[in-house]
Amino acid sequence: MKEDTVELIDYLRVIWKRKILIVVITMACIAAAGIASKKKKIIEIYRAEAMISIGEKVCLPPGCNYDRIATADQLVEFMPFKYGQNGYLLSVVRCTPYIVKIAMQGPDGGVKESLKGVIDKLIADHIQEAEDSAKKQRVYMELFEEKIEERRLGIAQMEEKWKGNSIIGDDVTFTSTMATVQSLLLQMKNELGGFQREYLSKQLVVDGLRDRNTKMIDVVKIIKLPVKITKRSVVLLRGSIRGIALSLSLAFFIEYIEKVRARKR
């Protein structure tokens, strides 16, 4: 049990015994850190920013007018993955439920053009989605066109059939018939007017999409970020700490190997 007991003096003896190894490795690590710090290239960081207002699309099913193409939270979640570019860091921050700040960060001034490219692609994708919703709305509008044409034809045929007749005379049957015809004509004209108003309202919704696209609400701004440079003294200190840790580990490992070999003998 005595032989297995290790005291502080034993550690100090090992350190003194391997002092040359410890000093050499520590100095080598300090020298390597000094050389690396001289060769280290300072990289400037640029950041481009822009504010985006999220556009709208036609709301389906019929009954409402517009709905947002996406929310700010959705853009925050998927934009960096869908529109990110190699060499640049893309980030999205929610400002309001439908306004976001898009930023791109990189080592050169090209971040400005890259961010413009990302924004142009986002706007093009949103315009396409809005156009797809408008196509569905136009299909719905075609049904109203058919109903409008059907009512117009029915009214024309009925007016032609009873043209020149009026509710004048003592014939009760004839008077009753003409009253029914006029009531039916009035109903058909009211329905025609309703179909026309509905069709016009849907047409206005589709036409209004042009003013509701996703758009950039300010110019792309580019700023140069301050770069934090580690002082040379700090670099050398870190190198010395790593050197001491490495040399001590190696010294104790060599001492352990020698003891194992001695026991085997």
Side-chain angles (χ1 to χ4, degrees), residues 92 129 138 147 167:
V92 184
E129 189 169 345
R138 291 188 185 101
K147 291 180 179 180
I167 314 178

Side-chain angles (χ1 to χ4, degrees), residues 167 171-183:
I167 314 178
D171 191 333
V172 176
T173 303
F174 179 78
T175 301
S176 176
T177 301
M178 286 303 300
T180 303
V181 168
Q182 289 193 354
S183 176

Side-chain angles (χ1 to χ4, degrees), residues 140-193:
Y140 180 67
M141 289 167 62
E142 288 175 1
L143 299 176
F144 279 95
E145 287 180 338
E146 293 175 2
K147 291 180 179 180
I148 289 171
E149 189 58 33
E150 181 183 328
R151 287 296 180 273
R152 281 177 177 168
L153 182 60
I155 291 171
Q157 289 175 345
M158 185 168 290
E159 287 179 338
E160 181 65 26
K161 180 178 179 180
W162 297 95
K163 188 177 181 181
N165 294 314
S166 61
I167 314 178
I168 301 174
D170 297 330
D171 191 333
V172 176
T173 303
F174 179 78
T175 301
S176 176
T177 301
M178 286 303 300
T180 303
V181 168
Q182 289 193 354
S183 176
L184 185 58
L185 274 172
L186 180 61
Q187 180 182 343
M188 293 174 70
K189 288 179 180 180
N190 288 337
E191 289 177 352
L192 175 62

